[in-house]
């Protein structure tokens, strides 16, 4: 909307629908059929979130190859938001969109930053990576003022993170993997009705509260009555009703306190 564009929402296929279709993996997936429908109806740009927020899903190479094929067929610009890529867990693989094929490079531009991986969002630095000269020409058409929003400090901090803090980053990912396991154990013990979609990237987890009957915005009740702040699922689109997102990058004690407070509402 800020760019004057019309938003067309193409939600992911949820695990329960994938299982009904015979997918034993029961993972969230891009709805390629619906995506092609949106392209056919005239969509000219696709904002791809990889790894996906809020599900923590790094998209599979085969899926991204198919996205690139569709983008080439319908002349769609793919803007791949890869800001959580450096936080991919050890049991998953992050596949950059521009790496999958010539078609992806011809249709795509990756957008990323060090802000998530190294916790430096306040110093404002990010970058575009166009896959081809044609896409680069389109990127150069962004308002000049956008470039001036980047700080010199942010540039140097980003370089320092990726050049000098790889061991720190690895230890951070290890801590996140431990935290996601702790959260799973706590939910199984205190909130077994809540469906926990275990993330394979980032520090966020997508929780399905629908079985508890807490309405479209369980996060509101949880905040009002349990004093635990989660991100409302509907903030991610209509398909997020009944869900909430939790940040699991915390100590086991804090996670336990949060889960126990929420469970007290049952």
């Amino acid at each position: 909307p800020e760019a004057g564009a019309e938003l067309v929402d193409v939600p992911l296929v949820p695990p329960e629908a994938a299982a009904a279709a015979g997918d034993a993996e029961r993972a969230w997936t891009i709805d390629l059929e619906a995506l092609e429908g949106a392209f056919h109806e005239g969509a000219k740009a696709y904002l791809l979130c990889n790894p996906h927020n809020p599900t923590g899903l790094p998209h599979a190479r085969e899926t991204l190859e198919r996205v690139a094929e569709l983008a080439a067929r319908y002349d769609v610009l793919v803007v791949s938001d890869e800001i959580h890529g450096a936080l991919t867990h050890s049991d998953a693989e992050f596949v950059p969109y521009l790496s999958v094929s010539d078609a992806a490079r011809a249709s795509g531009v990756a957008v990323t930053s060090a802000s998530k991986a190294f916790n430096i969002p306040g110093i404002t630095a990010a970058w575009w990576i166009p896959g081809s000269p044609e896409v680069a020409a389109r990127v150069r058409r962004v308002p000049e003022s956008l470039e001036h929003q980047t700080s010199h400090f942010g540039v140097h901090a980003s370089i320092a993170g990726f050049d000098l803090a790889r061991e720190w980053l690895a230890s951070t990912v290890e801590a996140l993997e431990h935290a996601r396991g702790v959260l799973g154990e706590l939910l199984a013990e205190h909130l077994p009705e809540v469906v926990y979609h275990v993330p394979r990237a980032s520090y966020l987890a997508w929780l399905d509260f629908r079985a508890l009957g807490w309405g479209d915005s369980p996060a509101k009740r949880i905040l009002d009555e349990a004093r635990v702040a989660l991100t409302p699922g509907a903030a991610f689109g209509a398909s997020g009703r009944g869900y909430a997102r939790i940040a699991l990058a915390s100590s086991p004690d804090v996670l336990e306190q949060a889960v126990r407070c929420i469970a007290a509402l049952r």
Side-chain angles (χ1 to χ4, degrees):
E2 184 179 351
E6 177 185 352
L7 176 65
V8 177
D9 192 18
V10 181
L12 299 185
V13 178
E16 55 267 28
D23 184 355
E25 292 293 325
R26 291 180 57 82
W28 295 86
T29 55
I30 293 176
D31 190 335
L32 293 169
E33 183 176 349
L35 188 65
E36 182 172 10
F39 289 177
H40 180 74
E41 291 296 318
K44 286 301 178 185
Y46 174 44
L47 181 56
L48 170 69
C49 192
N50 180 37
H52 185 267
N53 174 18
T55 65
L57 167 72
H59 295 298
R61 179 177 297 274
E62 295 78 9
T63 301
L64 297 175
E65 289 173 347
R66 181 62 177 145
V67 169
E69 292 170 3
L70 293 173
R73 182 184 307 168
Y74 293 96
D75 190 24
V76 173
L77 174 69
V78 178
V79 181
S80 185
D81 174 1
E82 301 180 356
I83 197 169
H84 293 279
L87 293 174
T88 300
H89 300 176
S90 62
D91 57 355
E93 179 187 11
F94 166 59
V95 180
Y97 177 72
L98 299 180
S99 73
V100 301
S101 66
D102 289 339
R105 288 181 283 278
S107 68
V109 54
V111 186
T112 191
S113 169
S115 62
K116 298 298 183 184
F118 299 101
N119 193 26
I120 53 174
I123 56 179
T124 60
W127 49 92
W128 304 71
I129 307 170
S132 69
E134 292 76 17
V135 175
R138 299 181 69 176
V139 169
R140 293 191 189 101
R141 289 161 49 192
V142 301
E144 183 181 359
S145 60
L146 188 65
E147 295 183 11
H148 295 308
Q149 295 176 24
T150 299
S151 75
H152 293 295
F153 186 35
V155 171
H156 289 296
S158 300
I159 293 171
F162 284 114
D163 279 356
L164 305 175
R166 293 301 181 100
E167 291 185 7
W168 181 92
L169 181 60
S171 67
T172 297
V173 172
E174 184 178 350
L176 294 176
E177 292 180 17
H178 175 70
R180 77 178 186 184
V182 170
L183 179 61
E185 294 171 359
L186 290 168
L187 291 169
E189 180 179 356
H190 302 289
L191 283 167
E193 302 93 342
V194 174
V195 179
Y196 172 39
H197 297 284
V198 181
R200 305 297 179 190
S202 194
Y203 50 87
L204 305 163
W206 193 227
L207 305 179
D208 182 353
F209 286 89
R210 290 177 296 175
L212 288 171
W214 291 356
D216 288 347
S217 184
K220 185 178 186 307
R221 181 183 179 189
I222 292 169
L223 178 60
D224 291 344
E225 301 181 29
R227 312 308 298 167
V228 177
L230 307 181
T231 304
F236 300 94
S239 60
R241 293 170 181 164
Y243 288 79
R245 189 189 72 176
I246 186 171
L248 53 80
S250 190
S251 69
D253 290 344
V254 171
L255 289 174
E256 181 175 4
Q257 182 181 4
V259 173
R260 284 183 177 274
C261 288
I262 297 171
L265 301 179
R266 294 165 57 233

